[in-house]
Amino acid sequence: MTDPQSSPQSGTGRNAYAAAGVSIEAADRAIDLMKGWVEKSRRPEVIGGLGGFAGLFDASALTRYTRPLLATSTDGVGTKVAIAQAMDIHDTIGFDLVGMVVDDLVVCGAEPLFMTDYIATGRVVPERIAAIVKGIAEACVEAGCALVGGETAEHPGLLAPDEYDVAGATTGVVEADQLLGPGRVRPGDVVVAMEASGLHSNGYSLVRHVLLGDPADGGAGWLLDREVPELGRTLGEELLTPTRIYAKACLDLARSTRTHAMSHVTGGGLAANLERVMPEELTATINRGTWTPQPVFDLVRQVGRVPQEDLEATLNCGVGMVALVHPEDVDAAVGTLAGYGVRAWVAGEVAEARESADGGRVRLEGQHPGW
């Protein structure tokens, strides 16, 4: 958390650090407010609590593995934080942060064990920091990992008083012989798509430019409190929809079916992210006709006159995660995911690469119904 060291007193009677814009007292108050939420994310392997210099996790839990492989991931939320700040709603952005890191681990079959966070802000407002950490802790519970520590840094002069940014890192473990990835993928595997909750937290620079940007610069100039009939709610409510966390569902999927690889659809879109887990000798064909993206994607496309190719290279377009599954296990896979509230469907298949194929190892064909 914020550096607790004391500073010399200034001639005004104020703490010199506080006079420079950094409040130790506010940081301490934030820690007190967040402790209860962090405790909710605790796993039995966690040792100690907040306040130490490092989070501790009992690694003897890994002795049940024959050959444990540690996996790690780090990420942030990007410009979606600007929406949270503008709406003064801070307890959902944590789901975006946790989703971005834990589901990167899950694609290789790793169980997320623990996470740390970093919050930089222009001014520590204890209630706001506690709200951010509340969301992170609640998301960790949903993902099954512990929030073992973090840092809150006050950066006056670098960030405006009400500005902040968040980042996080997580560590997980997978048994070596259960590692998912390109080496397991086979011709005939089926692409099972998992529905996104919305935009998640990628491509917000494009979305903000199109919908919120100044009309003089090509934006629509909409306000966040604008009621949008296509969305059935305000624009701000749509843009702040938390990222879906797939961790527990996908881990169960990997355990209960012959799932060979998974891909977390983040920046770069569906094709580019799926290609990261495809062997060079195979191709995956995705049929757009198997799903209709949520209205927000079509809204960005039409209002901004964004070519579909650009849209698909930036946004998830309604698919937040995909799994490459043995064809005999597809029904079981869809059923397993449904048990976690994740709608899934068959979106394509894997085949031998054709020499005449171009455009990469993943091809999107057809069109979404209604587009």
Side-chain angles (χ1 to χ4, degrees):
M1 299 305 162
T2 303
D3 182 359
Q5 298 180 27
S6 61
S7 301
Q9 297 296 310
S10 69
T12 62
R14 293 183 64 198
N15 178 286
Y17 210 3
V22 178
S23 173
I24 300 298
E25 291 76 12
D28 290 343
R29 169 67 175 154
I31 292 172
D32 287 339
L33 291 174
M34 71 177 69
K35 280 182 177 178
W37 296 110
V38 174
E39 184 64 25
K40 290 179 183 295
S41 73
R42 189 182 186 92
R43 287 176 54 127
E45 302 94 338
V46 175
I47 297 174
L50 289 182
F53 285 95
L56 298 175
F57 190 91
D58 187 353
S60 67
L62 304 184
T63 58
R64 71 178 187 269
Y65 291 84
T66 302
R67 186 188 169 200
L69 302 180
L70 293 180
T72 185
S73 174
T74 185
D75 207 343
V77 174
T79 60
K80 188 171 184 176
V81 295
I83 307 298
Q85 291 162 20
M87 296 183 67
D88 197 23
I89 297 175
H90 311 286
D91 62 352
T92 63
I93 205 74
F95 280 81
D96 301 292
L97 179 62
V98 174
M100 288 301 102
V101 294
V102 300
D103 287 331
D104 276 358
L105 295 188
V106 166
V107 300
C108 68
E111 174 192 0
L113 299 174
F114 57 85
M115 177 171 174
T116 56
D117 65 65
Y118 179 82
I119 304 170
T121 183
R123 176 187 54 164
V124 169
V125 178
E127 293 75 14
R128 182 164 59 213
I129 298 300
I132 296 169
V133 174
K134 170 181 179 286
I136 296 172
E138 289 181 328
C140 282
V141 171
E142 188 164 321
C145 69
L147 180 59
V148 297
E151 176 75 11
T152 300
E154 199 164 24
H155 291 166
L158 181 62
L159 295 170
D162 293 327
E163 288 182 344
Y164 63 82
D165 198 8
V166 295
T170 187
T171 298
V173 62
V174 59
E175 189 70 76
D177 63 5
Q178 295 174 15
L179 184 68
L180 305 181
R184 290 178 176 258
V185 181
R186 298 289 182 268
D189 281 351
V190 174
V191 180
V192 175
M194 303 176 217
E195 187 177 49
S197 58
L199 293 164
H200 287 184
S201 62
N202 297 106
Y204 269 72
S205 293
L206 171 64
V207 173
R208 290 168 57 242
H209 171 72
V210 167
L211 300 179
L212 304 174
D214 189 332
D217 296 326
W222 292 0
L223 300 177
L224 289 172
D225 61 0
R226 178 190 178 109
E227 292 284 347
V228 183
E230 296 92 331
L231 303 177
R233 52 182 169 177
T234 68
L235 178 61
E237 289 170 334
E238 178 69 34
L239 297 187
L240 206 57
T241 301
T243 297
R244 172 166 283 154
I245 295 175
Y246 300 92
K248 289 182 179 179
C250 285
L251 288 173
D252 194 357
L253 182 70
R255 287 190 294 262
S256 62
T257 69
R258 286 169 287 182
T259 293
H260 296 149
M262 287 186 278
S263 176
H264 188 199
V265 183
T266 56
L270 174 55
N273 281 286
L274 180 53
E275 190 163 303
R276 295 166 66 180
V277 297
M278 289 290 297
E280 292 186 4
E281 68 274 13
L282 300 179
T283 62
T285 302
I286 307 294
N287 180 4
R288 297 186 186 95
T290 60
W291 84 98
T292 300
Q294 291 97 326
V296 66
F297 297 100
D298 198 28
L299 190 70
V300 173
R301 181 176 70 103
Q302 294 201 47
V303 172
R305 295 184 177 86
V306 180
Q308 187 166 346
E309 181 180 355
D310 290 347
L311 200 75
E312 292 174 337
T314 308
L315 307 178
N316 68 57
C317 291
V319 178
M321 182 83 79
V322 294
L324 302 181
V325 181
H326 189 286
E328 295 178 3
D329 287 0
V330 169
D331 289 343
V334 172
T336 295
L337 294 168
Y340 289 87
V342 178
R343 189 175 80 86
W345 64 93
V346 173
E349 62 182 358
V350 175
E352 297 280 358
R354 296 177 296 180
E355 290 188 9
S356 59
D358 55 15
R361 295 190 296 278
V362 178
R363 293 183 295 122
L364 298 174
E365 62 181 23
Q367 188 53 283
H368 301 298
W371 278 38

